[in-house]
């Protein structure tokens, strides 16, 4: 009998059950994809590092001359193993030619690696270890490939000094210790014979570069030895994971989206199951009247939803595989994210969805115990109500009757409509937060967090940056020549350059190697400090808040640093926020002829006031004069550095599509439920002469009111939530506080709300057409 009842129920409520099935599929799909990705991301870098054979300590060297650092490390008793990797330097992208044109697509010097001296495992695009490279071939890291349409098998010419090579591109490679950001240097792996051929050229030895992969339990010993050498960066295995911060942030962002969507689906399921049971008071009353006990009735509902849930989770699991791959596509391009138990995790996640839904169902079926056979006679009412149902009085509210009924329905059923409001708010927040993030990561508002002065144009040409990275004192000539070029071509302005270098800093018994920064050139712009004041003398510095904690210092304390073999004492004047540096020097501090470990390009601030059109014209003019495409507006400069804006825009578009789907499903499900519940009321309205158009409009307006409220609530919550999340991101990437998100008013207040309200109007109108099938004679009819 139970199976016969179940079969009839599934047939009788096809629309409700199909929508319920779709939500189960969504739940299962996002749960399986999110959980699998959580496992992959959480252990992803560790898995990647194990596969790449990343050591305990990695040492990057960028010296201006040869030294014995590698030999000294090898002699240490605490070192179990050391693997060396020497790099040849190609200082200019224009040494490369592709399709007969000089390359101008990367901003740093390129580093060449011999396949006979690979210190760790490198992987091709199919995640296979590169054992060797054929003569006349090469693999390249991501920065080499930006902005060029190069395919496997294409030929690239390389001219360095008197040496010429024609190399066949074999594909992109993944290096666990190399960042894939656009602003980072490219690395090329080539055959050892080709490497030796270029090794003879003096131009490839402008710097002594390479890495030492050291397995040791005494990291501090390596750090102590490195203090005696300039431009040596020591990173532990754990510290090297910071390379993938942007990738990991995107991965975790996608997981948060998955969790929110799962939560939304579960809320709707909870409401739907509870509503269905409360609607079937007559059937439950009749079953109790013929002697069926509570447990048997509850088991009937549990079996019904078990069938729907199992079918939905199976479909959802198989749909989760391509969804998970799509969500992790950007992250997996830069690393090997392996989840060896992915299939098992997917099944367990889907099983968890089944259990949660059944628990929801079991919890909802407790209402069965309260229903009695008499409820079937009284249409599900006990006849007792001790408070007003209507919160509005028609005579006191100047609204048309249809609008009055819509507003009153929403106010009289706060629980039902608040659930819809919460779900709609989540949907629109997912869209708008992604929009804010995408805009912020290319906004001029965050320029100060990259430690450069206010400017309209940024030049990231490799020739300019290469000279400074060999000898930072060349900035004087570069700035003077560029300012003359600007004046001679009708674009007078001032140039500045942020130069960075690493120095060891001590305070009492604590030491730390910090990234120092200093702005060279004439500017009225000063460092923005969060507390204290900016440095005003050469013996003053500002540091980030995290640096104060690392050194156990406070504003006003003195710290010491060794620069150019001379010990300096600095007073900490204040704290500032930065993605790039940890300490900032006064502009007149002389670094001598030290090589710069970091250069944020050349900034130009034009004299006078220019609009965007004029700035863009000046940018095109400078590209022609300097013969480089690496001239950016502030927005493009920030987008180039972070590389996140385009990816976040793609996620935003995906969220818009998902929002449309979820909103449509919710509206159809809820409206169909309301029509079924209010059948007798609708019939009564028709009996007193109210037309179909008014009834449809009433039902439509209810959802419009809810969607408008959701838009208002999301607008109020948007900026606080966005700022909190963005500052969390900023602290993950750098040492940042008080970061404010940028936003597009048109998108936030018009486009995104219009999508939500538009889908709501269309969905509720089409579903409300079903009210035409209800007749005035159905007033006392209950199906």
């Amino acid at each position: 009998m139970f199976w016969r009842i179940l079969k009839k129920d599934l047939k009788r409520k096809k629309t409700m059950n199909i929508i319920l099935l779709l939500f189960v599929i969504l739940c299962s799909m996002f749960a399986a994809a999110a959980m699998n990705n959580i496992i992959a991301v959480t252990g992803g870098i560790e898995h990647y590092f194990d596969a790449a054979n990343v050591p305990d300590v990695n040492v990057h060297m960028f010296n201006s001359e040869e030294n014995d650092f590698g030999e000294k490390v090898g002699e240490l008793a605490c070192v179990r193993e050391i693997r060396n990797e020497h790099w040849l330097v190609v200082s200019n992208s224009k040494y490369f030619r592709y399709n007969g044109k000089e390359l101008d697509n990367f901003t740093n010097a390129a580093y060449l690696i011999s396949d006979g001296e690979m210190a760790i495992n490198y992987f091709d695009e199919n995640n296979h270890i590169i054992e060797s490279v054929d003569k006349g071939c090469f693999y390249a890291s991501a920065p080499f490939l930006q902005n060029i349409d190069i395919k496997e098998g294409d030929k690239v010419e390389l001219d360095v000094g008197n040496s010429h090579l024609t190399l066949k591109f074999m594909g992109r490679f993944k290096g666990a210790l190399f960042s894939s950001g656009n602003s980072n240097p490219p690395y090329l792996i080539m055959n050892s014979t080709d490497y030796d051929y270029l090794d003879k050229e003096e131009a490839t030895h402008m710097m002594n570069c390479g890495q030492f992969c050291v397995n040791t339990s005494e990291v501090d010993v390596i750090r102590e030895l490195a203090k005696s050498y300039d431009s040596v960066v020591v990173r532990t295995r754990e510290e090297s994971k910071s390379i993938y911060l942007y990738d990991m942030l995107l991965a975790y962002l996608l997981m948060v989206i998955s969790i929110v969507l799962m939560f939304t689906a579960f809320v709707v399921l909870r409401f739907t199951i509870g509503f269905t049971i409360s609607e079937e008071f007559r059937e439950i009353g009749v079953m109790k009247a013929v002697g069926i006990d509570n447990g048997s009735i509850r088991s009937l509902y549990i079996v019904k939803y078990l069938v729907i849930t199992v079918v939905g989770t199976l479909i959802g699991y198989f749909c989760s595989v391509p969804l998970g791959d799509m969500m992790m596509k950007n992250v997996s391009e830069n690393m090997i994210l392996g989840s060896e138990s992915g299939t098992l995790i997917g099944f367990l996640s889907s099983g968890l969805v089944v259990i949660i839904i059944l628990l929801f169902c079991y919890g909802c079926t407790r209402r069965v115990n309260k229903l009695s056979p008499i409820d079937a006679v009284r249409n599900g009412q006990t006849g007792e109500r001790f408070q007003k149902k209507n919160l509005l009085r028609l005579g006191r509210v100047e609204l048309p009757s249809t609008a009055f009924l819509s507003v009153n329905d929403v106010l009289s059923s706060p629980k039902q409509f608040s659930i819809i409001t919460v779900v709609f708010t989540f949907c629109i927040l997912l869209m708008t937060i992604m929009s804010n993030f995408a805009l912020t990561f290319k906004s001029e508002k965050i320029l100060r967090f990259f430690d450069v002065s206010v400017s309209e144009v940024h030049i990231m040409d490799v020739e300019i940056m290469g000279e400074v990275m060999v000898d930072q004192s060349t900035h004087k000539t570069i700035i003077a020549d560029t300012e003359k070029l600007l004046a001679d071509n009708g674009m007078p302005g001032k140039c500045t350059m942020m130069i960075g270098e690493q120095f060891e800093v001590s305070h009492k018994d604590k030491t730390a190697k910090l990234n120092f920064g200093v702005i060279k050139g004439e500017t009225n712009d000063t460092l923005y400090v969060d507390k204290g004041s900016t440095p005003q003398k050469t013996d003053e510095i500002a540091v980030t808040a995290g640096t104060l904690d690392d050194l156990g210092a406070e504003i006003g304390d003195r710290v010491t640093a060794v620069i150019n073999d001379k010990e300096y004492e600095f007073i900490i004047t204040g704290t500032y926020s930065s993605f790039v540096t940890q300490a900032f020097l006064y502009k007149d501090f002389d670094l001598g002829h030290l090589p710069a470990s970091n250069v944020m390009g050349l900034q130009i601030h034009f004299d006078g006031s220019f609009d965007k059109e004029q700035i863009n014209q000046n940018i095109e003019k400078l590209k022609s004069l300097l013969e480089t495409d690496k001239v950016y507006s502030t927005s493009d400069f920030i987008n180039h550095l972070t590389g996140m804006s385009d990816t976040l825009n793609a996620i935003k578009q995906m969220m818009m599509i998902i929002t449309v789907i979820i909103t449509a499903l919710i509206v159809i499900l809820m409206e169909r439920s309301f029509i079924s519940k209010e059948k007798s009321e609708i019939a009564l309205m028709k009996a007193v002469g109210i037309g179909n158009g008014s009834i449809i409009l009433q039902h439509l307006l209810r959802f419009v009111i809810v969607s408008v409220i959701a838009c208002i609530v999301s607008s109020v919550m948007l900026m606080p939530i966005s700022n909190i999340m963005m500052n969390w991101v900023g602290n993950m990437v750098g040492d940042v506080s008080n970061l404010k998100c940028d936003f597009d008013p048109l998108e936030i207040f018009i486009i995104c709300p219009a999508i939500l309200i538009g889908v709501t109007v269309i969905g509720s109108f089409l579903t409300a057409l079903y009210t035409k099938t209800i007749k005035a004679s159905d007033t006392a009819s209950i199906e």
Side-chain angles (χ1 to χ4, degrees):
M1 182 182 69
F2 280 177
W3 288 110
R4 190 164 59 251
I5 295 173
L6 174 62
K7 185 178 179 181
K8 287 184 177 181
D9 185 81
L10 290 174
K11 285 183 177 181
R12 184 166 59 93
K13 297 185 177 181
K14 287 182 181 178
T15 303
M16 298 281 288
N17 291 327
I18 288 172
I19 294 175
L20 193 59
L21 177 65
L22 289 174
F23 270 106
V24 172
I25 291 172
L26 280 175
C27 280
S28 177
M29 186 168 64
F30 281 104
M35 287 301 295
N36 196 34
N37 290 348
I38 286 171
I39 300 299
V41 170
T42 304
I45 296 181
E46 194 64 33
H47 171 88
Y48 183 26
F49 277 23
D50 287 341
N53 197 20
V54 171
D56 299 327
V57 179
N58 174 254
V59 183
H60 276 195
M61 178 174 290
F62 300 93
N63 288 115
S64 55
E65 55 187 32
E66 296 286 339
N67 60 58
D68 60 352
F69 178 77
E71 296 176 10
K72 293 291 186 182
V73 171
E75 294 172 358
L76 295 174
C78 62
V79 173
R80 301 190 305 273
E81 179 189 21
I82 180 170
R83 303 188 298 273
N84 301 340
E85 190 175 271
H86 299 93
W87 304 331
L88 299 181
V89 183
V90 178
S91 61
N92 197 321
S93 63
K94 295 180 180 179
Y95 288 136
F96 294 91
R97 296 175 66 86
Y98 175 59
N99 287 338
K101 296 181 180 179
E102 293 178 345
L103 291 186
D104 188 24
N105 62 315
F106 53 88
T107 56
N108 284 288
Y111 298 103
L112 311 181
I113 305 169
S114 169
D115 68 346
E117 194 185 34
M118 295 185 288
I120 64 171
N121 293 330
Y122 298 113
F123 300 86
D124 62 20
E125 292 177 284
N126 297 317
N127 295 336
H128 297 141
I129 295 176
I130 299 173
E131 302 287 354
S132 62
V133 181
D134 293 337
K135 190 176 185 306
C137 300
F138 78 103
Y139 289 89
S141 62
F144 184 85
L145 311 178
Q146 59 181 310
N147 300 326
I148 60 171
D149 185 21
I150 187 171
K151 301 179 181 64
E152 187 175 336
D154 289 352
K155 299 292 181 68
V156 174
E157 296 180 71
L158 174 58
D159 291 285
V160 183
N162 297 319
S163 300
H164 172 84
L165 282 175
T166 299
L167 302 170
K168 183 169 72 172
F169 178 61
M170 299 300 293
R172 171 182 172 176
F173 83 89
K174 303 175 185 180
L177 298 173
F178 302 147
S179 177
S180 59
N182 292 339
S183 59
N184 289 280
Y187 293 84
L188 281 69
I189 303 177
M190 58 173 50
N191 179 268
S192 57
T193 303
D194 295 330
Y195 180 93
D196 293 339
Y197 173 67
L198 295 175
D199 191 21
K200 300 173 184 177
E201 293 293 337
E202 184 178 347
T204 61
H205 294 277
M206 58 178 290
M207 293 180 69
N208 176 38
C209 299
Q211 68 174 341
F212 302 93
C213 296
V214 184
N215 282 317
T216 177
S217 56
E218 302 291 339
V219 178
D220 291 339
V221 176
I222 308 295
R223 293 192 192 279
E224 190 64 31
L225 178 63
K227 292 179 182 179
S228 305
Y229 298 85
D230 294 328
S231 301
V232 174
V233 180
V234 179
R235 288 188 302 207
T236 64
R237 180 182 170 109
E238 195 63 30
E239 290 168 344
S240 295
K241 294 179 181 179
S242 62
I243 295 171
Y244 299 96
L245 274 174
Y246 285 120
D247 297 309
M248 299 305 288
L249 286 171
L250 288 173
Y252 280 112
L253 194 58
L254 288 168
M255 286 189 292
V256 169
I257 291 171
S258 296
I259 292 168
V260 171
L261 290 172
M262 287 164 54
F263 173 76
T264 301
F266 282 136
V267 168
V268 175
L269 285 169
R270 166 67 174 83
F271 174 82
T272 306
I273 294 169
F275 177 82
T276 302
I277 293 174
S278 64
E279 183 191 22
E280 295 179 347
F281 61 87
R282 187 181 185 188
E283 290 87 341
I284 295 171
V286 171
M287 284 191 284
K288 286 195 173 186
V290 298
I292 301 175
D293 60 35
N294 288 328
S296 298
I297 298 173
R298 294 179 75 176
S299 66
L300 174 63
Y301 284 98
I302 293 173
V303 170
K304 170 187 171 180
Y305 290 112
L306 176 63
V307 172
I308 294 175
T309 304
V310 169
V311 173
T313 50
L314 285 174
I315 298 172
Y317 168 74
F318 289 108
C319 291
S320 73
V321 176
L323 175 67
D325 292 341
M326 181 188 70
M327 291 169 64
M328 300 301 287
K329 180 180 178 183
N330 290 313
V331 182
S332 61
E333 283 181 352
N334 300 326
M335 63 178 101
I336 300 174
L337 286 177
S339 178
E340 297 173 357
S341 56
T343 303
L344 177 62
I345 295 298
F347 273 121
L348 289 176
S349 303
S350 299
L352 185 63
V353 171
V354 174
I355 293 171
I356 292 175
I357 293 175
L358 291 180
L359 287 174
F360 272 151
C361 179
Y362 184 77
C364 293
T365 56
R366 284 182 300 180
R367 298 186 64 182
V368 170
N369 300 335
K370 299 178 181 179
L371 295 175
S372 64
I374 198 65
D375 290 308
V377 178
R378 293 179 175 176
N379 294 343
Q381 302 295 328
T382 62
E384 297 178 348
R385 187 175 71 229
F386 302 103
Q387 60 183 10
K388 294 188 299 182
K389 181 179 180 182
N390 298 332
L391 300 180
L392 300 179
R393 294 283 184 177
L394 183 58
R396 298 177 184 177
V397 180
E398 295 183 2
L399 285 174
S401 59
T402 303
F404 170 83
L405 290 172
S406 301
V407 174
N408 195 56
D409 284 347
V410 173
L411 295 177
S412 299
S413 303
K415 185 176 181 180
Q416 292 178 355
F417 287 99
S418 62
I419 290 174
I420 305 173
T421 305
V422 169
V423 173
F424 282 179
T425 302
F426 273 127
C427 288
I428 197 168
L429 277 174
L430 287 175
M431 284 193 294
T432 51
I433 287 174
M434 287 301 105
S435 175
N436 282 2
F437 277 19
L439 197 62
T440 302
F441 274 106
K442 62 175 183 178
S443 169
E444 297 180 9
K445 289 183 178 179
I446 66 171
L447 181 65
R448 68 181 180 89
F449 296 105
F450 292 94
D451 304 330
V452 298
S453 57
V454 172
S455 45
E456 293 78 40
V457 176
H458 307 260
I459 302 173
M460 298 288 286
D461 186 68
V462 68
E463 290 186 9
I464 293 174
M465 297 171 66
E467 289 182 36
V468 179
M469 293 186 78
V470 174
D471 182 353
Q472 68 84 28
S473 65
T474 58
H475 74 267
K476 299 175 184 177
T477 304
I478 293 170
I479 289 175
D481 291 347
T482 307
E483 289 180 346
K484 184 177 184 303
L485 178 70
L486 293 171
D488 291 345
N489 289 275
M491 300 178 290
K494 300 298 181 184
C495 297
T496 57
M497 185 176 286
M498 199 291 285
I499 298 169
E501 184 54 277
Q502 279 200 339
F503 301 113
E504 191 83 25
V505 177
S506 301
H507 176 253
K508 296 182 180 178
D509 59 339
K510 293 187 176 182
T511 61
K513 202 161 191 176
L514 305 180
N515 292 315
F516 276 71
V518 59
I519 292 179
K520 295 296 183 180
E522 185 178 338
T523 178
N524 293 324
D525 189 30
T526 58
L527 184 71
Y528 184 94
V529 293
D530 300 318
K531 293 181 181 179
S533 60
T534 59
Q536 301 294 320
K537 299 178 182 179
T538 55
D539 65 343
E540 296 178 348
I541 61 169
V543 299
T544 61
T547 299
L548 283 183
D549 294 336
D550 292 341
L551 293 174
E554 296 179 355
I555 294 174
D557 286 352
R558 294 179 180 271
V559 296
T560 58
V562 177
I563 304 174
N564 276 328
D565 298 324
K566 181 180 177 181
E567 187 175 283
Y568 290 87
E569 188 174 71
F570 297 102
I571 300 173
I572 300 175
T573 62
T575 60
Y576 71 105
S577 297
S578 172
F579 287 120
V580 182
T581 62
Q582 296 157 302
F584 221 82
L585 296 160
Y586 182 60
K587 64 179 182 178
D588 290 341
F589 189 91
D590 186 12
L591 292 171
H593 295 278
L594 282 175
S597 62
N598 183 33
V599 182
M600 299 300 290
L602 181 68
Q603 279 67 48
I604 299 174
H605 181 49
F606 294 115
D607 295 341
S609 179
F610 290 88
D611 57 23
K612 287 189 176 181
E613 183 179 351
Q614 184 61 53
I615 291 172
N616 289 334
Q617 291 176 3
N618 290 350
I619 287 174
E620 294 303 318
K621 198 172 183 179
L622 282 168
K623 287 181 179 179
S624 177
L625 291 169
L626 298 171
E627 298 182 351
T628 179
D629 290 331
K630 300 304 176 185
V631 184
Y632 302 102
S633 65
T634 297
S635 177
D636 291 338
F637 170 70
I638 295 171
N639 190 29
H640 174 78
L641 291 177
T642 63
M644 289 186 71
S645 183
D646 294 338
T647 303
L648 289 170
N649 268 319
I651 296 174
K652 178 188 71 177
Q653 291 166 6
M654 181 182 75
M655 288 313 308
M656 286 182 174
I657 295 170
I658 292 175
T659 298
V660 168
I661 295 171
I662 289 180
T663 303
L665 288 174
I666 290 171
V667 169
I668 295 170
L669 176 66
M670 295 299 188
E671 174 60 13
R672 189 66 184 84
S673 301
F674 291 153
I675 291 172
S676 179
K677 180 181 180 182
E678 299 167 7
K679 184 175 181 179
S680 58
E681 287 92 333
I682 295 170
L684 180 61
M685 292 172 69
K686 289 189 176 185
V688 298
I690 299 176
N692 286 321
S694 296
I695 295 172
I696 292 171
L697 182 59
Q698 175 197 347
H699 283 242
L700 186 152
L701 286 176
R702 294 192 300 193
F703 282 96
V704 170
I705 291 168
V706 170
S707 60
V708 169
I709 294 172
C711 292
I712 295 171
V713 172
S714 66
S715 298
V716 173
M717 297 172 60
L718 175 62
M719 293 314 297
I721 292 176
S722 295
N723 290 335
I724 290 171
M725 292 180 67
M726 183 56 73
N727 277 280
W728 176 75
V729 170
N731 278 311
M732 290 283 288
V733 177
D735 193 346
V736 171
S737 60
N738 299 320
L739 198 162
K740 304 295 183 183
C741 279
D742 203 356
F743 68 96
D744 181 357
L746 178 65
E747 196 163 82
I748 298 303
F749 299 116
I750 297 178
I751 295 176
C752 291
I755 291 173
L756 181 72
I757 296 172
V759 174
T760 301
V761 168
I762 295 171
S764 58
F765 173 76
L766 293 176
T767 311
L769 292 175
Y770 183 75
T771 58
K772 289 183 177 182
T773 63
I774 300 175
K775 303 182 294 292
S777 59
D778 293 325
T779 303
S781 175
I782 303 173
E783 292 295 335

